[in-house]
């Protein structure tokens, strides 16, 4: 339990350092596997650092602790960034990161709760994870537990209708223990969301559904932490949605805002350049 | 009293069995939850809602969400029963069941009324003729249909007690009560209604009643029938099928497409064993239409007369 409390005392600067480590680890995993999803992993890195190293009550030595906060990676393809957090947080041995996407690895191509400690639900098919988070949050309410459920969804993923089925349920059951992050990086596999299928104003959409909605810079650790502090005290019966404006491939110059880096691994030269760039922190 | 001598005029739909049993189970175990999708009345969960509102969730007309939500509940130790119609429970929710329930092997039950051709006058869109087959091909899933009220109650009770995903299919229409209240049923173990030596009939769900009538008639005509109620088509009771191979002539009867349901499951075993002949009676790979249930059964040859005729041809 000491580790649980210790993490809460972390400073913004230390969190930024954690985000750098997460980016480096995820890039290393994907480079090693020569397969995986760097773009969305990098856009979500700062949110993941804040969650895993400050916000969430989790215990690496007791991953199934029943009072833990839950995390749902609805955009399951960016699991390298979650695996990095789990490895750096001590859920799984760090040296195993090189097994990403290998036979028998805890680090399956998409999160598998039966194989990797710290994964609360298997995901990978877009649009489905938020419903699972809603189920967990309802159970928390009905059982009078204090745990919270954090879900990370992609903006492109919000094109799936089930996201809105889950959203309306979260509001109906007054799940103020549910926090939805939208990794709003504006890109999907085929190009810009605005061209493939415009999402309009996601902030207004979640707001119209009844969420307490905030919009922040998803790469500003200060804003992320501040917003998490704000939503923590708001036990007002409303689920929370934090629209995080992010950049796909954030931190690596040649990956930023390039749809083609959705699901492609860097070659050796690109990897070294990427590692150098992310080591310098965010511009 | 033998089932063959039983008065078959007392009837009850097996969805009633689910509705009654789930209330009992919910009272015994606070972890039992029911998730409804706006059709609680026809799925018979209304008493559950009245008596156990804290264990009930209604997500409205949003089946895909219901399946994922059930998975989330299951990760916290709940035993959710998603209650809907068989077409939606097997097809609308299929990918969600595959990804979020079966892939992580979570303890979620999909409890479906209106199985097979029973939503007769609603037409082809509402008739579930491929549900059991579709779910049979998803790893970790158990697939069950009880033949009457009492067997269904026992099977629902067992489904709640075994860990893992289970698909349960019920009838909309009433079916004769053929078993005694205290009869025991085990998931994955066929119920041998009668032993015989000339032909084996393997049926499930509400077609067991047809097989029963056919058996009575065949026996009258001096043909010895072995009759099995194969309530669980996955895991299939392989041993029970192999046991029929001494006779070597098998008829399967089901209110389901002859493809991928009970008939196919039995054929797989028979083919693997390399001996025996099977005739499948069921939906002839065609969609239904609005018509009385009995008419739809007739159009597909799912009748006592056809079972008798097929048996005689096979012997």
């Amino acid at each position: 339990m000491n580790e649980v409390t210790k993490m809460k005392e972390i400073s913004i600067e230390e969190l930024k350092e954690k985000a750098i480590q997460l980016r480096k680890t995820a890039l290393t995993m994907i480079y090693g596997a020569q397969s995986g999803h760097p773009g969305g992993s990098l856009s979500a890195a700062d949110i993941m650092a804040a969650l895993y190293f400050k916000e969430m009550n989790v215990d690496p030595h007791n991953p199934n602790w029943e009072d833990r906060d839950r995390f749902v990676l609805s955009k399951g393809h960016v699991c390298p960034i979650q695996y990095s957090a789990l490895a750096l947080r001590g859920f799984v041995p760090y040296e195993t990161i090189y097994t990403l996407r290998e036979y028998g690895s805890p680090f399956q191509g998409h999160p598998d709760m039966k194989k990797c400690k710290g994964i609360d639900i298997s995901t990978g098919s877009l649009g489905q994870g938020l419903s699972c988070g809603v189920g967990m949050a309802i159970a928390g309410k009905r059982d009078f537990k204090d745990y919270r459920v954090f879900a990370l969804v992609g903006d492109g993923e919000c094109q799936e209708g089930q996201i809105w089925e889950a959203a309306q349920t979260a509001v109906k059951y007054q799940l103020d223990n549910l926090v939805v992050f939208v990794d709003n990086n504006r890109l999907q596999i085929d190009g810009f969301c605005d061209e493939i299928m415009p999402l309009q104003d996601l902030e207004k959409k979640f707001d119209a559904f009844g969420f307490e909605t905030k919009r922040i810079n998803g790469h500003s650790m200060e804003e992320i932490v501040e917003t998490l502090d704000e939503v923590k005290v708001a036990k007002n019966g409303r689920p929370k949605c934090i629209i995080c404006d992010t950049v796909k491939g954030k931190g690596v110059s040649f990956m930023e805002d390039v749809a083609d880096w959705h699901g492609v691994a860097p070659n050796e030269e690109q990897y070294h350049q990427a590692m150098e760039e992310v080591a310098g922190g965010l511009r | 009293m033998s089932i063959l001598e039983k008065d078959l005029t007392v009837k009850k739909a097996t969805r009633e069995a689910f509705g009654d049993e789930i209330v009992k189970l919910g009272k015994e175990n606070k972890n039992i939850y029911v998730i409804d999708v706006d059709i609680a009345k026809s799925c018979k969960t209304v008493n559950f809602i009245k008596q156990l509102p804290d264990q009930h969730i209604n997500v409205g007309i949003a089946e895909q969400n219901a399946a994922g939500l059930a998975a989330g509940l299951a990760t916290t130790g709940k035993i959710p029963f998603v209650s809907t119609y068989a077409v939606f429970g097997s097809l609308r929710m299929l990918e969600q069941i595959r990804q979020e329930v079966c892939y992580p092997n979570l303890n979620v039950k999909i409890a479906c009324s209106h199985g097979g051709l029973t939503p007769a006058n609603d037409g082809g869109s509402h008739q579930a003729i491929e549900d059991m087959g579709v779910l049979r091909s998803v790893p970790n899933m158990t697939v069950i249909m009880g033949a009457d009220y009492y067997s269904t109650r026992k099977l629902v009770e067992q489904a709640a007690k075994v860990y893992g995903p289970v698909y349960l299919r019920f009838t909309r229409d009433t079916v004769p009560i053929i078993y005694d209240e205290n009869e025991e049923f085990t998931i994955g173990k066929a119920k041998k209604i009668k032993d015989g030596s000339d032909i084996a009939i393997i049926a499930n769900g509400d077609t067991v009643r047809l097989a029963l009538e056919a058996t009575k008639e065949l026996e009258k005509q001096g043909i010895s029938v072995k009759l099995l109620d194969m309530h669980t088509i996955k895991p299939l009771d392989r041993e029970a099928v192999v046991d029929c191979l001494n006779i070597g002539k098998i008829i399967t009867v089901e209110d389901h497409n002859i493809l991928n349901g009970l008939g196919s499951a039995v054929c797989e075993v028979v083919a693997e064993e390399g001996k025996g002949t099977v005739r499948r009676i069921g939906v002839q790979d065609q969609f239904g239409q609005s018509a009385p249930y009995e008419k739809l059964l007739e159009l597909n040859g799912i009748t006592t007369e056809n079972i008798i005729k097929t048996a005689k041809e096979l012997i």
Side-chain angles (χ1 to χ4, degrees), chain A residues 47-260:
Chain A
I47 301 161
M48 295 299 277
L51 284 177
Y52 272 93
F53 295 97
K54 182 171 195 297
E55 192 65 17
M56 289 202 299
N57 284 318
V58 288
D59 181 359
H61 305 296
N62 188 8
N64 297 322
W65 173 36
E66 62 176 34
D67 292 334
R68 73 189 184 281
D69 287 337
R70 268 75 172 171
F71 179 74
V72 176
L73 186 66
S74 199
K75 45 178 289 181
H77 55 281
V78 308
C79 52
I81 204 71
Q82 187 184 11
Y83 295 153
S84 301
L86 294 172
L88 285 162
R89 197 71 169 71
F91 281 86
V92 278
Y94 190 83
E95 54 277 16
T96 56
I97 64 163
Y98 298 102
T99 65
L100 175 70
R101 296 187 166 224
E102 275 179 15
Y103 177 74
S105 169
F107 307 127
Q108 295 288 298
H110 291 81
D112 183 340
M113 65 187 289
K114 295 286 160 163
K115 292 201 166 62
C116 185
K117 285 179 185 163
I119 301 286
D120 292 316
I121 186 79
S122 304
T123 53
S125 184
L126 293 178
Q128 300 184 10
L130 188 54
S131 297
C132 304
V134 167
M136 294 172 190
I138 289 178
K141 286 268 169 200
R142 299 265 170 114
D143 291 344
F144 304 103
K145 299 262 189 194
D146 287 330
Y147 70 72
R148 292 193 292 162
V149 180
F150 297 90
L152 181 68
V153 305
D155 52 344
E157 187 184 5
C158 293
Q159 290 163 356
E160 292 277 9
Q162 194 185 336
I163 290 285
W164 306 104
E165 295 184 0
Q168 68 198 7
T169 310
V171 172
K172 175 186 171 184
Y173 287 100
Q174 303 186 346
L175 304 180
D176 53 14
N177 54 349
L178 174 72
V179 183
V180 179
F181 287 91
V182 179
D183 183 12
N184 192 34
N185 64 30
R186 301 171 297 114
L187 280 171
Q188 55 192 111
I189 297 183
D190 277 354
F192 282 96
C193 301
D194 274 352
E195 287 162 17
I196 309 300
M197 180 48 67
L199 290 148
Q200 307 304 335
D201 189 331
L202 281 174
E203 193 184 353
K204 278 190 192 161
K205 275 187 169 171
F206 274 97
D207 190 59
F209 270 77
F211 275 69
E212 184 178 324
T213 311
K214 306 206 180 283
R215 183 165 192 151
I216 64 169
N217 173 354
H219 297 308
S220 160
M221 195 57 75
E222 289 83 356
E223 281 192 48
I224 296 170
V225 169
E226 193 183 320
T227 310
L228 280 167
D229 285 344
E230 276 172 33
V231 302
K232 193 181 316 197
V233 291
K235 289 189 177 172
N236 52 5
R238 295 174 72 192
K240 325 296 178 200
C241 176
I242 306 175
I243 310 285
C244 300
D245 289 328
T246 56
V247 173
K248 200 153 178 167
K250 181 69 178 176
V252 179
S253 58
F254 57 89
M255 291 185 180
E256 286 190 1
D257 273 340
V258 180
D260 286 347

Side-chain angles (χ1 to χ4, degrees), chain B residues 70-310:
Chain B
L73 281 175
T75 66
T76 70
K78 308 295 180 205
I79 308 168
F81 280 73
V82 181
S83 176
T84 181
Y85 292 163
V87 266
F88 310 135
S90 59
L91 299 176
R92 187 63 172 265
M93 293 162 49
L94 177 60
E95 204 214 343
Q96 284 73 12
I97 291 173
R98 177 184 185 273
Q99 298 284 345
E100 304 299 348
V101 174
C102 291
Y103 180 46
N105 195 25
L106 292 172
N107 200 16
V108 173
K109 320 298 169 186
I110 313 294
C112 292
S113 178
H114 293 50
L117 296 165
T118 63
N121 55 19
D122 279 327
S125 67
H126 278 55
Q127 294 156 8
I129 55 168
E130 58 283 86
D131 57 331
M132 298 175 83
V134 163
L135 287 166
R136 187 167 81 92
S137 40
V138 184
N140 292 335
M141 183 58 99
T142 293
V143 181
I144 293 172
M145 184 175 193
D148 78 342
Y149 178 83
Y150 288 122
S151 63
T152 301
R153 280 196 70 154
K154 287 284 166 68
L155 289 163
V156 170
E157 183 187 27
Q158 278 205 19
K161 286 173 183 168
V162 298
Y163 182 88
V166 179
Y167 178 75
L168 292 144
R169 188 215 237 195
F170 314 120
T171 58
R172 182 187 73 169
D173 293 19
T174 58
V175 282
I177 291 177
I178 57 177
Y179 294 111
D180 287 334
E181 192 175 346
N182 300 320
E183 194 85 43
E184 290 302 323
F185 293 85
T186 308
I187 290 174
K189 197 93 192 111
K191 190 82 190 168
K192 197 195 302 185
I193 294 176
K194 193 194 157 298
D195 216 344
S197 54
D198 295 327
I199 191 149
I201 303 177
I202 306 177
N204 70 6
D206 48 345
T207 65
V208 171
R209 70 181 164 108
L210 303 174
L212 208 52
E213 298 287 1
T215 299
K216 284 188 209 170
E217 183 55 33
L218 287 164
E219 292 274 335
K220 264 188 217 161
Q221 298 180 21
I223 296 164
S224 170
V225 180
K226 175 181 178 133
L227 177 59
L228 297 181
D229 171 0
M230 194 67 83
H231 46 74
T232 309
I233 71 159
K234 185 190 173 183
L236 188 76
D237 186 348
R238 197 183 170 94
E239 208 178 303
V241 177
V242 170
D243 199 42
C244 295
L245 295 178
N246 298 329
I247 302 170
K249 291 154 188 166
I250 301 172
I251 297 172
T252 61
V253 193
E254 62 195 311
D255 178 4
H256 185 278
N257 200 340
I258 53 163
L259 303 180
N260 212 11
L262 170 68
S264 289
V266 168
C267 283
E268 286 161 18
V269 174
V270 172
E272 280 164 4
E273 293 294 320
K275 52 183 179 181
T277 305
V278 183
R279 291 280 181 274
R280 291 172 296 166
I281 292 177
V283 177
Q284 298 298 303
D285 196 25
Q286 62 183 348
F287 286 109
Q289 53 182 304
S290 287
Y293 182 51
E294 296 297 330
K295 175 75 182 169
L296 291 168
L297 292 178
E298 199 185 304
L299 287 169
N300 286 282
I302 311 170
T303 59
T304 302
E305 296 69 34
N306 194 33
I307 299 170
I308 295 166
K309 181 169 155 270
T310 307

Side-chain angles (χ1 to χ4, degrees), chain A residues 10-67:
Chain A
I10 196 165
S11 71
I12 296 281
E13 286 313 309
E14 286 170 310
L15 281 174
K16 287 180 180 173
E17 182 53 39
K18 291 293 182 193
I20 291 174
Q21 289 177 22
L22 289 185
R23 285 190 161 88
K24 287 170 77 172
T25 306
L27 284 166
T28 303
M29 292 180 97
I30 295 165
Y31 171 63
Q34 276 302 292
S35 166
H37 295 80
S41 290
L42 293 172
S43 67
D46 302 292
I47 301 161
M48 295 299 277
L51 284 177
Y52 272 93
F53 295 97
K54 182 171 195 297
E55 192 65 17
M56 289 202 299
N57 284 318
V58 288
D59 181 359
H61 305 296
N62 188 8
N64 297 322
W65 173 36
E66 62 176 34
D67 292 334

